[in-house]
Amino acid sequence: MSNELDILKRRLERETLARKRAEKILDEKSLELYTSNQKLSQLNKDLQTKVQEGIRQQFLKEEEYKQLIENASDIIYKADKTGNFSFVNKTTLHRLGYDEAELIGKNYTELIPESYVDSVRQFYLDCIQNKEKRSYYEFPIRTKAGEIIWLGQNVQIHFTSDEDFYVDAVARDISDRKAAQEQLLKTQKRLSTLIQNLQSAVLLEDENRNIALVNKKFYAFFNIPSNETLLGTSCNNTAGGFKHHFVEEEQFVKRVNELIEKKEVATDEILILKDGRTFSRDFIPIFEDEKYLGSLWQFKDISDKKNAELQIALSEEKYRSIIENMELGLLEVDNNGLIVRAYDTFCKQVGYTAEELIGKDPQKLFLANPNDGELIDKQQSERFQKKTGVYEVQMLTKDKSKLWVLISGAPIINRYGEVEGSLGIHFDITQRKKMEDELAKAKEKAELGRKAEQAFLANMSHEIRTPLNAVIGMVHLLLDTNPSDEQLHYLKSLQHASQILQGLINDILDISKIEAGKLEYTESEIDLHSLIHSLQRTFELKIESKLITVESKVDEKINTLVKSDYILLNQILFNLLGNAEKFTEEGKIGLAARAIEKNHDYYLIEFSVYDTGIGINHDRLTNVFDKFTQANSETSIKYGGTGLGLAITKKIVEFLNGNIKIESEPNKGTTITITLKLSNTNESLNNQKTAISKRLNLEGKQINDILIAEDNQMNINYLNSMLSSYNLNYEFALNGKEAVAKAREKAYDLILMDFQMPEMNGIDATIEIRSTHNLNTETPIIALTAAALVNDKEKAFTVGMDDFLSKPFTPEQLLQKMLLFGNISKKGEETITKENTNNKADRIYPSELDVEYLYDFYEDDYSYFNMMLELFAESTPTEIIDLQKAIEQKNLLEAYTICHRIKPTFPMVGITAISPLLEEFEQNAKDNNSNAYKIYPKLKEALNLWLSKIEKIRKDQG
Amino acid sequence: MKGVIFCEFLEMVEDQHSYDVVDAILVKANFEHKGAYTAIDNYPAEEMMTLIANLEELTNQKPQIILESLGHRLFNFFRRDYPHFFHSDQHPFTFLTHIESYIHVEVKKLYPTAELPTFTTINQTENTLVLKYQSERKLYHLAKGLIEALLKFYKYEGNVQLDVDAINPEICLITIDIL
């Protein structure tokens, strides 16, 4: 029980304790609550004070605002719902020029220019309708003074109920901005008009790739219907949309994206359209202070330009291909001479590629002959003077083969007129050069051949004429031996045949000389009267046997000396007269000279040679001047001749720039007319008779003074020794010039004239003496000639020589010739005449020598032989020493020359046995054949042997 | 720990057993305040552990069973004294997932010093809700009792299963399956 009680006690105690504890807590909470209340009421009190202060502050601010509004620079006003002004600030009054009384109650629309009223009213009606509390609008108003002011107006609408409201407005004068804006608009409009009317298509995209501007051309260029608009659409797909216009579609899109990506200016990009047009595209990104604002695309239609360029390119290509096909190698060099450009053909010519050539110096690269450097430099300097030039050089190609080129160089001149370099056109002339070389060689060969031919002819003339002359001479002698009729007939035939042969040889020699162009023009003064007269005389003498008269006539107008080539003129007339005489059996032949024209400078003279001979058929007349042509074949049988006569004549006439023509009637005769223009010397003719007629009468005259024109020392020696035994004064002239000079100074009784001499030959000297003023115009002249080349004898006569003596001659022969022109006295003896010269010596020739030969040559003129022997002894030993020297020096040419010189002297002294050995040696030496050295010892032995024999003979003869 | 919980606990022990048992565990505990608990004061939580241990010793009742019973009794106390927290047409999961954001917020307003466990929603399907309970008091059995009472109140049948975290005993996953 006590336990139960204890528990109860404890329970009660716990509940009491718990209640007290709870009450205590509640007391504490009450106090806490009370304190909080106290705090709260204090807070409330503070709050009230703050509100009152706030209201006061607010009031002050409103005052400030009011002040602000009054003094603001903006127009500020209030209006009621009808738009009537209820408040305006000072600025409003000031700007609009009204006073307050005038404005308050006035409707705002009254201030707005009529044309703007509706739009402004509508704007604010819309605002009210849509309950838009705040708005901004710009419109003009008119001040009291009538000035228009643009306002930018902020309006706040205060809705006091659904129906009721009033308006606060702040407006600013934006006239200046408006004006600027208008100006800007105008400019923009102008620009846009400009862009619209540009000939190129323009598209402007903004920074977001939206199209901001497209002009009309753009629509036109891309065939976009004008009712479609691109403005505002995005560019992102435009490229794809346009690509179908272009040939390279994907390339177009790719490039557009690339440009947009990079944003770098790209101009003049060429786009080919499928329809054949060509566009040029510019892309210009627009930046302002590094901020990207968009891009401008411009397309220009350059199809025409492109086509023109294409045409130019085609034509350039055409000319280029022409040049290329012409195988002309073009090379351009700069002013330093370095290669700037090398064209295909040139590269092919030299075997280099263009790349290998650029920048190189052609002189170093190509020049085959270093000596040509100077030529190239000279050409180069001429280019600088803007001169062109053509020259040939040999070049080296890459493979070191040689190439001949003809280069035509021209300066390259830029548009400022300065020389920029030069262009060389190279034409390969290797083939031509080769041909030229071959031609030159062929020519040389031909020349050699011709020389050989001439040598042959010269030889032939000598070889044939000597025996022929002998034949002719013998025939003459035989005719005097009282032959029987039969013998006479044979002799006449023989004489005729040999004369034909002689004429033939002369003609052939003449024509070959003419054809070789060897004819030389030697001018001298000529008295035509004298010339023609002497020709007449010559033919009169020549044709004594025929019943023909020879006429001559010279126009009296020809009263001065003329100038021409005497020999040629003489030959022409001589040939023609010869022809006339040949074909004329009876009647006459004649020669006439007529002056067709005469003035101070020249005569135009017509020479006519006529005959009454057989004439020529008309159909033959045209080709009588051709070579080897005679009127008909019978002619040649009957009259002989080569048919060269007229051909030779014509050629000489043409050489003298004259004309020749022929007229003929068969069986009546022929007239050949020659027209020549001859210079007039204006020197009057000497009133002299013809030389020949004077000289004919010389017999009985004493010969004292002789002039001898002779260049050969051996001949001089020979003549010297021969003439010294006579009572003669003789002088030597060593050439024709000297002879002429001496003839001017002294009158001689006789002149001996060698044909071939240096400086001036005997023919020319004779002409000078005969036709110029001197003391010997009539002195007899005897020609001395070694070579009977051409018709030396004829020449001698035609130029006025009086006689002719062929070398070698014996003293007796010379004496006989001289005696034709006068008497000569031997020293201490009686005068020798033609009649008393035949004093023969009965001496015999030494048996060691070729006696037979000596008899043939000297007959019994033993003194002449002796003289020759002396000469031989004087000159030959030194020659033999020289020959020995030449052999020692291995100089076969010199040995040959010496041998050739001395060879003829051996037979002259009767040493004929040595001739074959000399001949053999000479031939080998001439051919530069070493056999000559093998032969020489034998020759030397023979020579020494003969020299000692000659010495012995001379001693024997004392 | 709020005094009201001690009051409810002691009333529960008296109801289940008798005031003798109440007196016995209090005497044994020998607290300075002699067990004079008042609902509006606060007491150390350890005192509750001592009382439950004393009760187990005296009656062989398992502490978790004692706590689950206390949960049931507390739920009824809450429902009776704070009916505005419980709407009749509410789903128990809605209530449970809003403990942190709603109930505990309100509790803190009344008792700023209250030490409350945290409930986090780990997973939720139509019939299953997994909550993570975390508290240094480790009173998840109390929570289980409260949840069971809640299901019963909303007329749902279901199981509430506890899985204590092996490493951190302050954490326990509570899986609620509705049948």
Side-chain angles (χ1 to χ4, degrees):
Chain A
M1 218 29 219
S2 64
N3 195 23
E4 248 178 68
L5 196 63
D6 285 344
I7 294 169
L8 276 172
K9 271 185 189 166
R10 282 200 294 273
R11 185 174 185 167
L12 190 66
E13 187 186 2
R14 280 179 199 122
E15 281 172 359
T16 309
L17 281 171
R19 197 192 70 229
K20 281 181 178 163
R21 171 78 187 141
E23 279 166 1
K24 193 183 173 215
I25 289 169
L26 284 174
D27 273 351
E28 281 167 12
K29 289 287 176 196
S30 287
L31 185 67
E32 212 171 282
L33 198 62
Y34 172 77
T35 314
S36 290
N37 262 339
Q38 285 296 105
K39 274 182 187 166
L40 209 62
S41 72
Q42 184 60 39
L43 198 72
N44 206 16
K45 221 174 173 178
D46 287 350
L47 213 61
Q48 229 168 355
T49 320
K50 266 184 189 159
V51 167
Q52 273 168 4
E53 178 62 17
I55 288 167
R56 204 178 62 85
Q57 289 287 340
Q58 185 70 28
F59 176 74
L60 283 172
K61 229 164 220 171
E62 265 179 34
E63 278 300 304
E64 245 171 62
Y65 284 145
K66 223 175 195 173
Q67 206 63 27
L68 214 60
I69 286 164
E70 283 299 313
N71 297 317
S73 62
D74 289 340
I75 291 167
I76 300 173
Y77 63 86
K78 282 182 188 230
D80 61 19
K81 64 185 282 190
T82 59
N84 292 336
F85 295 111
S86 57
F87 165 82
V88 291
N89 70 350
K90 279 181 185 160
T91 308
T92 311
L93 301 174
H94 178 70
R95 282 305 287 132
L96 300 189
Y98 293 98
D99 55 33
E100 198 172 355
E102 282 175 311
L103 269 186
I104 299 296
K106 206 181 187 82
N107 197 277
Y108 76 100
T109 53
E110 289 176 51
L111 297 176
I112 298 172
E114 209 154 302
S115 53
Y116 287 91
V117 171
D118 286 348
S119 56
V120 176
R121 200 202 306 270
Q122 192 58 50
F123 177 79
Y124 285 111
L125 284 177
D126 286 348
C127 287
I128 293 157
Q129 188 80 34
N130 299 327
K131 296 266 188 269
E132 278 175 29
K133 287 182 179 168
R134 287 169 201 281
S135 67
Y136 177 81
Y137 197 61
E138 294 178 357
F139 55 90
I141 57 166
R142 182 179 280 117
T143 64
K144 194 177 179 184
E147 189 196 351
I148 299 290
I149 298 172
W150 270 89
L151 295 180
Q153 182 167 272
N154 278 300
V155 165
Q156 185 157 17
I157 303 171
H158 300 273
F159 293 97
T160 46
S161 70
D162 273 359
E163 298 286 301
D164 235 1
F165 62 88
Y166 67 93
V167 170
D168 277 338
V170 179
R172 180 165 290 183
D173 182 351
I174 57 162
S175 299
D176 288 348
R177 201 197 82 201
K178 204 72 191 173
Q181 220 167 9
E182 216 134 89
Q183 194 57 40
L184 194 67
L185 261 174
K186 237 187 248 173
T187 310
Q188 263 176 350
K189 190 158 186 183
R190 227 178 278 148
L191 280 176
S192 127
T193 312
L194 194 71
I195 289 168
Q196 285 300 342
N197 292 310
L198 268 182
Q199 284 311 299
S200 42
V202 172
L203 183 147
L204 183 70
E205 62 174 77
D206 64 18
E207 69 272 30
N208 300 317
R209 298 228 62 198
N210 290 324
I211 297 177
L213 190 149
V214 195
N215 72 347
K216 286 180 201 158
K217 273 282 173 199
F218 192 91
Y219 287 92
F221 272 23
F222 292 104
N223 306 321
I224 304 162
S226 52
N227 56 5
E228 257 179 51
T229 182
L230 292 170
L231 264 186
T233 60
S234 169
C235 277
N236 282 323
N237 299 316
T238 314
F242 278 80
K243 68 175 184 183
H244 69 273
H245 287 287
F246 301 97
V247 173
E248 294 183 333
E249 294 188 6
E250 294 317 317
Q251 176 60 31
F252 171 77
V253 175
K254 199 178 144 208
R255 182 60 182 154
V256 167
N257 292 336
E258 210 174 271
L259 289 170
I260 285 294
E261 179 85 18
K262 284 188 181 167
K263 297 195 174 53
E264 281 170 8
V265 173
T267 57
D268 295 330
E269 295 190 350
I270 303 299
L271 300 165
I272 312 285
L273 279 80
K274 286 181 183 164
D275 60 11
R277 284 182 295 166
T278 306
F279 285 1
S280 143
R281 177 182 59 202
D282 298 341
F283 171 75
I284 301 154
I286 302 160
F287 288 93
E288 194 180 86
D289 299 335
E290 299 191 356
K291 188 179 172 240
Y292 175 66
L293 297 179
S295 293
L296 183 85
W297 299 87
Q298 177 173 256
F299 295 86
K300 280 177 269 187
D301 187 342
I302 56 162
S303 307
D304 289 348
K305 194 179 139 206
K306 209 71 202 167
N307 283 337
E309 278 173 8
L310 193 68
Q311 286 302 319
I312 290 166
L314 278 176
S315 114
E316 266 177 13
E317 174 63 25
K318 189 173 107 188
Y319 288 112
R320 200 186 61 78
S321 75
I322 287 172
I323 287 169
E324 289 291 312
N325 287 331
M326 279 167 83
E327 295 297 331
L328 296 176
L330 270 59
L331 186 69
E332 284 181 33
V333 298
D334 62 18
N335 283 338
N336 299 320
L338 301 179
I339 297 172
V340 182
R341 194 168 296 125
Y343 293 80
D344 285 356
T345 308
F346 183 82
C347 293
K348 266 184 233 156
Q349 284 174 343
V350 296
Y352 289 96
T353 65
E355 291 71 28
E356 287 175 310
L357 293 176
I358 304 298
K360 298 281 167 58
D361 183 351
Q363 277 204 45
K364 287 178 189 153
L365 211 54
F366 302 132
L367 224 50
N369 307 311
N371 298 340
D372 286 345
E374 214 173 301
L375 167 75
I376 307 284
D377 288 342
K378 189 168 157 267
Q379 287 289 335
Q380 186 73 14
S381 69
E382 284 190 356
R383 296 300 161 273
F384 287 126
Q385 293 158 24
K386 302 184 183 175
K387 286 182 188 163
T388 59
V390 178
Y391 53 102
E392 292 177 4
V393 286
Q394 198 172 27
M395 293 171 69
L396 276 180
T397 65
K398 195 180 182 182
D399 61 12
K400 298 297 169 210
S401 60
K402 287 182 176 177
L403 180 77
W404 267 103
V405 288
L406 175 75
I407 303 177
S408 170
I412 300 171
I413 295 168
N414 68 15
R415 60 198 162 114
Y416 306 110
E418 298 158 346
V419 176
E420 255 181 1
S422 63
L423 174 76
I425 302 175
H426 297 68
F427 182 54
D428 184 348
I429 55 165
T430 310
Q431 282 303 317
R432 202 192 83 191
K433 274 283 172 191
K434 213 171 134 192
M435 232 147 73
E436 271 178 14
D437 267 7
E438 281 167 6
L439 275 174
K441 276 180 195 157
K443 196 183 163 212
E444 202 177 325
K445 245 184 214 171
E447 205 73 46
L448 280 174
R450 221 155 45 96
K451 273 185 186 154
E453 187 188 327
Q454 275 170 358
F456 167 76
L457 287 170
N459 231 8
M460 192 178 78
S461 78
H462 183 72
E463 300 294 331
I464 295 177
R465 285 164 81 161
T466 311
L468 192 59
N469 285 338
V471 170
I472 291 167
M474 291 303 168
V475 170
H476 266 289
L477 288 174
L478 280 172
L479 284 170
D480 290 340
T481 55
N482 201 13
S484 68
D485 284 351
E486 200 185 359
Q487 284 171 327
L488 185 66
H489 177 70
Y490 289 148
L491 285 172
K492 285 278 180 195
S493 297
L494 186 58
Q495 189 183 38
H496 185 65
S498 55
Q499 278 168 353
I500 286 173
L501 190 57
Q502 196 179 34
L504 178 71
I505 290 163
N506 289 342
D507 284 354
I508 287 173
L509 287 168
D510 272 2
I511 197 110
S512 56
K513 188 173 182 184
I514 290 166
E515 288 185 347
K518 289 277 171 155
L519 219 49
E520 278 178 17
Y521 180 79
T522 314
E523 198 171 67
S524 58
E525 292 180 351
I526 302 168
D527 175 358
L528 285 178
H529 292 271
S530 158
L531 171 69
I532 285 169
H533 197 74
S534 79
L535 279 167
Q536 184 206 10
R537 277 289 294 158
T538 307
F539 274 86
E540 272 175 351
L541 291 171
K542 199 179 170 195
I543 55 174
E544 276 168 316
S545 52
K546 281 187 185 174
L547 292 167
I548 305 171
T549 51
V550 182
E551 300 177 348
S552 75
K553 194 187 176 203
V554 182
D555 194 336
E556 287 305 318
K557 274 197 272 182
I558 304 168
N559 55 1
T560 53
L561 295 174
V562 298
K563 264 190 181 167
S564 187
D565 186 306
Y566 183 91
I567 298 169
L568 295 176
L569 182 56
N570 191 71
Q571 191 175 351
I572 290 165
L573 300 173
F574 190 91
N575 279 356
L576 292 176
L577 276 170
N579 247 24
E581 178 262 328
K582 190 158 122 188
F583 297 110
T584 307
E585 289 304 322
E586 51 183 17
K588 60 181 180 183
I589 62 171
L591 169 61
R594 185 167 72 89
I596 301 172
E597 205 182 323
K598 177 194 172 186
N599 59 36
H600 191 265
D601 294 330
Y602 63 88
Y603 286 99
L604 189 61
I605 292 174
E606 183 189 78
F607 298 93
S608 10
V609 176
Y610 51 91
D611 64 58
T612 56
I614 57 169
I616 305 165
N617 279 325
H618 289 271
D619 57 343
R620 287 287 189 173
L621 275 179
T622 46
N623 53 9
V624 288
F625 294 116
D626 292 349
K627 273 194 281 183
F628 305 108
T629 305
Q630 284 187 329
N632 56 55
S633 47
E634 279 170 41
T635 316
S636 59
I637 294 163
K638 190 173 174 188
Y639 299 96
T642 54
L644 285 170
L646 281 178
I648 291 167
T649 307
K650 185 175 187 239
K651 278 189 192 293
I652 299 172
V653 170
E654 283 166 356
F655 178 72
L656 296 177
N657 295 318
N659 288 316
I660 185 166
K661 61 182 185 197
I662 184 166
E663 286 166 40
S664 188
E665 281 287 319
N667 300 318
K668 280 194 175 167
T670 304
T671 303
I672 292 176
T673 314
I674 290 157
T675 317
L676 286 173
K677 192 170 170 179
L678 304 175
S679 307
N680 185 357
T681 63
N682 298 307
E683 264 181 60
S684 59
L685 303 169
N686 293 323
N687 227 354
Q688 54 187 224
K689 292 178 191 165
T690 61
I692 287 174
S693 58
K694 273 193 172 176
R695 291 199 299 270
L696 279 176
N697 229 340
L698 284 171
E699 278 180 51
K701 191 190 174 190
Q702 183 68 36
I703 295 170
N704 293 316
D705 297 307
I706 301 179
L707 174 65
I708 306 164
E710 172 64 70
D711 65 315
N712 185 301
Q713 194 53 48
M714 187 158 160
N715 287 340
I716 290 170
N717 291 344
Y718 174 46
L719 289 164
N720 213 356
S721 64
M722 193 180 87
L723 296 175
S724 58
S725 55
Y726 298 99
N727 278 325
L728 291 170
N729 298 319
Y730 54 88
E731 290 174 39
F732 288 99
L734 295 176
N735 58 49
K737 262 199 176 151
E738 216 178 297
V740 172
K742 283 183 186 291
R744 290 213 175 104
E745 288 164 11
K746 185 177 175 183
Y748 297 96
D749 299 319
L750 184 67
I751 297 172
L752 302 178
M753 183 76 78
D754 186 18
F755 253 42
Q756 295 301 324
M757 284 183 293
E759 299 269 348
M760 184 186 273
N761 64 27
I763 301 283
D764 293 339
T766 305
I767 291 166
E768 285 269 333
I769 291 166
R770 286 280 180 263
S771 57
T772 61
H773 271 290
N774 66 78
L775 304 165
N776 296 283
T777 48
E778 293 170 22
T779 307
I781 299 174
I782 298 172
L784 303 175
T785 172
L789 192 74
V790 200
N791 36 9
D792 283 351
K793 200 169 179 178
E794 235 163 52
K795 249 188 210 163
F797 287 126
T798 52
V799 301
M801 287 180 169
D802 300 272
D803 212 326
F804 184 91
L805 183 62
S806 280
K807 288 185 203 167
F809 48 83
T810 65
E812 188 58 35
Q813 284 170 324
L814 177 62
L815 186 61
Q816 289 302 323
K817 276 285 179 216
M818 294 202 294
L819 288 174
L820 288 174
F821 301 95
N823 301 325
I824 295 166
S825 61
K826 212 166 184 176
K827 283 180 177 162
E829 284 179 22
E830 54 174 312
T831 300
I832 303 164
T833 62
K834 269 200 277 184
E835 287 72 32
N836 63 4
T837 52
N838 291 333
N839 51 344
K840 291 177 184 171
D842 357 308
R843 304 279 296 270
I844 50 161
Y845 294 104
S847 58
E848 296 96 324
L849 303 174
D850 188 340
V851 177
E852 206 176 325
Y853 182 87
L854 287 173
Y855 267 115
D856 280 352
F857 197 81
Y858 299 105
E859 295 179 343
D860 43 11
D861 189 349
Y862 197 74
S863 60
Y864 182 30
F865 163 74
N866 259 349
M867 200 172 66
M868 291 309 286
L869 201 63
E870 288 306 309
L871 264 175
F872 181 89
E874 254 174 58
S875 61
T876 311
T878 46
E879 294 271 27
I880 288 170
I881 292 164
D882 288 344
L883 181 65
Q884 172 71 27
K885 276 186 197 157
I887 290 294
E888 282 165 10
Q889 289 163 7
K890 308 267 182 215
N891 188 344
L892 281 184
L893 182 66
E894 177 66 15
Y896 157 72
T897 310
I898 296 165
C899 184
H900 181 75
R901 194 160 59 219
I902 63 173
K903 194 178 74 178
T905 59
F906 288 87
M908 299 274 278
V909 292
I911 306 168
T912 50
I914 203 171
S915 291
L917 199 55
L918 279 167
E919 187 70 40
E920 193 187 357
F921 177 79
E922 183 190 328
Q923 195 58 47
N924 279 296
K926 186 182 178 185
D927 297 344
N928 203 18
N929 190 329
S930 59
N931 272 337
Y933 297 110
K934 287 183 192 161
I935 298 160
Y936 180 71
K938 226 198 287 180
L939 178 65
K940 191 181 171 188
E941 194 186 342
L943 286 170
N944 287 333
L945 177 72
W946 282 108
L947 275 185
S948 58
K949 278 185 182 174
I950 293 293
E951 277 309 299
K952 189 172 170 280
I953 290 164
R954 285 181 66 222
K955 270 184 198 163
D956 290 348
Q957 293 182 346
Chain B
M1 187 176 273
K2 298 307 290 182
V4 71
I5 296 170
F6 287 89
C7 292
E8 283 297 313
F9 173 72
L10 293 177
E11 273 179 37
M12 181 189 77
V13 175
E14 191 180 350
D15 285 352
Q16 285 179 354
H17 304 283
S18 64
Y19 195 78
D20 292 353
V21 179
V22 176
D23 182 62
I25 59 173
L26 287 174
V27 170
K28 190 166 191 248
N30 194 26
F31 297 134
E32 201 180 330
H33 53 64
K34 296 176 181 172
Y37 289 102
T38 169
I40 56 168
D41 206 350
N42 290 309
Y43 303 91
E46 287 77 24
E47 289 186 6
M48 179 59 78
M49 296 304 136
T50 308
L51 291 175
I52 287 170
N54 290 351
L55 182 61
E56 183 190 8
E57 196 180 306
L58 200 65
T59 64
N60 276 331
Q61 256 188 311
K62 290 282 171 203
Q64 52 263 51
I65 302 295
I66 297 165
L67 284 168
E68 279 173 26
S69 299
L70 182 61
H72 278 272
R73 194 177 178 91
L74 275 175
F75 179 80
N76 288 331
F77 162 76
F78 289 146
R79 199 190 52 80
R80 189 186 62 231
D81 281 16
Y82 305 98
H84 55 278
F85 287 129
F86 303 96
H87 307 289
S88 56
D89 54 352
Q90 210 175 17
H91 190 280
F93 283 0
T94 311
F95 182 91
L96 287 171
T97 54
H98 287 83
I99 291 171
E100 279 295 326
S101 59
Y102 181 44
I103 309 289
H104 283 181
V105 171
E106 295 300 319
V107 171
K108 280 279 183 187
K109 279 179 191 169
L110 274 177
Y111 309 104
T113 56
E115 291 165 339
L116 302 168
T118 60
F119 285 94
T120 316
T121 305
I122 299 298
N123 193 16
Q124 183 181 4
T125 64
E126 195 183 339
N127 295 317
T128 304
L129 177 67
V130 181
L131 294 174
K132 185 177 86 178
Y133 163 94
Q134 185 166 10
S135 169
E136 54 181 312
R137 310 254 178 273
K138 309 178 190 89
L139 294 173
Y140 28 85
H141 284 287
L142 182 67
K144 188 186 176 192
L146 278 165
I147 291 164
E148 281 171 345
L150 180 79
L151 292 178
K152 198 176 168 187
F153 169 73
Y154 283 115
K155 296 187 174 61
Y156 280 89
E157 283 197 34
N159 290 322
V160 179
Q161 195 189 324
L162 299 178
D163 293 297
V164 181
D165 191 294
I167 296 162
N168 187 352
E170 290 179 7
I171 293 172
C172 176
L173 291 183
I174 304 169
T175 306
I176 303 135
D177 290 308
I178 290 173
L179 299 175

